[in-house]
Amino acid sequence: MAGPRRDTRGIVDARDLFAHVDFRRREPAPALRPYLEHYWLIDWDLPAPYATHVVPHPSVNLVLERAAGGAPRGEVAGVLGGLWTRKLTGRGRVCGVQFRPGGFRPFAPRRPVSYWTGRHVPLPQACAELGDGGPGVRAAAEAVPARATGPEPEDERVAALDAFLLGLGPEPTDGTRAALALVERVRADRSVRRAADLAATEGVSVRALQRLFAAHVGVGPKWVILRYRIHEALERAESGGDVDWADLAGELGYSDQAHLVRDFTTTVGVPPTAYARRLTAP
């Protein structure tokens, strides 16, 4: 695997975000890379409040945060359906773990990933479901928010994340491997446009595919296909060039431009043309 992603897919107005915060991605330890996209780290020191917006990936995230003057805290954030908005104020730091779609279940094997979907579960509560759920996990979960968001050098904070996750003893299953491969295919292969077609090429029923995704991804295959379409449309809108939305709709598998516009507007909050104009406004 070739290091952290460099694209900005899912980030609404990424250039504006990067002008307000210090955003980095870091690689996890080699043994964790089959399950994790990357670590994402954000620091901010703002004279005025700033709202950031993200169209989430079909990924579970572990989010560790420390606001100036506040105690460190952590949570497990399941796959989120709509636009995620966060208001940043003052000074603070977040250190996050983005799991690959299909990659979280080895760290929390007792529940289907759909259990976490749409939820923000405080880490002290979530740790009962992580690893073996024993006292060692609870102790590590209590320590990692401070270790990952403290004043130590960044390499040490990343190492603390590695140690915590490796300590959970992730064990992949055949379902893990199948889900990881299928979602990666959806992300990379534009010809995958319908859940029924994906199921047919795998030689399984749509219902079996839906069960696999519920257990290991947290959302259905149709949802994943649609979300990656919106990510690509969002990135195209941010490219700065003229976009032929009718052509793009066809490339992404929509029956017509109206369906792309509807999905984009529902997810992002404005039509794609209005979004693109907003980015180029002086």
Side-chain angles (χ1 to χ4, degrees):
M1 298 184 182
R5 290 194 345 261
R6 296 184 179 275
D7 64 77
T8 60
R9 290 191 176 187
I11 302 174
V12 176
D13 200 349
R15 285 173 291 183
D16 190 55
L17 172 66
F18 298 161
H20 284 84
V21 306
D22 182 10
F23 176 94
R24 293 95 65 206
R25 291 181 176 133
R26 293 288 301 268
E27 272 195 307
L32 294 169
R33 291 173 196 169
Y35 315 111
L36 273 59
E37 294 276 10
H38 49 249
Y39 300 138
W40 50 273
L41 300 93
I42 300 177
D43 295 296
W44 66 91
D45 190 354
L46 299 169
Y50 174 75
T52 180
H53 310 281
V54 176
V55 178
H57 289 253
S59 298
V60 176
N61 282 261
L62 171 63
V63 184
L64 308 168
E65 179 176 357
R66 184 195 298 258
R73 57 181 293 273
E75 68 176 21
V76 174
V79 180
L80 301 177
L83 187 69
W84 181 84
T85 299
R86 173 67 195 277
K87 187 175 183 180
L88 304 177
T89 59
R91 182 164 52 88
R93 164 172 286 175
V94 170
C95 194
V97 179
Q98 183 175 331
F99 293 87
R100 295 184 185 278
F104 179 69
R105 183 73 182 271
F107 299 85
R110 288 183 296 280
R111 299 270 195 176
V113 180
S114 57
Y115 166 80
W116 306 91
T117 299
R119 303 179 65 195
H120 294 264
V121 183
L123 190 53
Q125 176 184 340
C127 69
E129 305 294 341
L130 302 178
D132 63 11
V137 171
R138 291 195 294 272
E142 289 175 359
V144 73
R147 295 183 64 196
T149 63
E152 292 78 14
E154 188 169 293
D155 286 351
E156 292 183 22
R157 296 192 290 116
V158 168
L161 289 174
D162 285 340
F164 174 67
L165 294 169
L166 290 169
L168 296 178
E171 291 289 344
T173 65
D174 288 344
T176 299
R177 288 181 277 270
L180 286 164
L182 285 169
V183 176
E184 185 58 32
R185 182 180 166 199
V186 170
R187 174 158 53 184
D189 186 353
R190 282 188 182 176
S191 70
V192 179
R193 298 179 175 183
R194 298 171 63 246
D197 295 337
L198 182 62
T201 60
E202 295 299 313
V204 300
S205 68
V206 172
R207 183 66 189 126
L209 190 67
Q210 290 169 337
R211 287 195 297 268
L212 176 71
F213 272 59
H216 295 277
V217 183
V219 289
K222 179 180 178 181
W223 191 98
V224 174
I225 292 167
L226 290 173
R227 179 50 51 93
Y228 282 138
R229 287 175 175 179
I230 294 300
H231 278 175
E232 184 154 354
L234 190 66
E235 188 173 57
R236 194 73 66 88
E238 296 210 18
S239 66
D242 292 331
V243 179
D244 187 321
W245 295 103
D247 282 354
L248 181 60
E251 288 179 28
L252 298 180
Y254 283 94
S255 57
D256 55 38
Q257 181 178 345
H259 283 84
L260 169 59
V261 170
R262 180 194 63 198
D263 282 354
F264 191 103
T265 304
T266 298
T267 306
V268 181
V270 294
T273 52
Y275 178 73
R277 284 198 301 271
R278 188 174 72 186
L279 294 180
T280 57

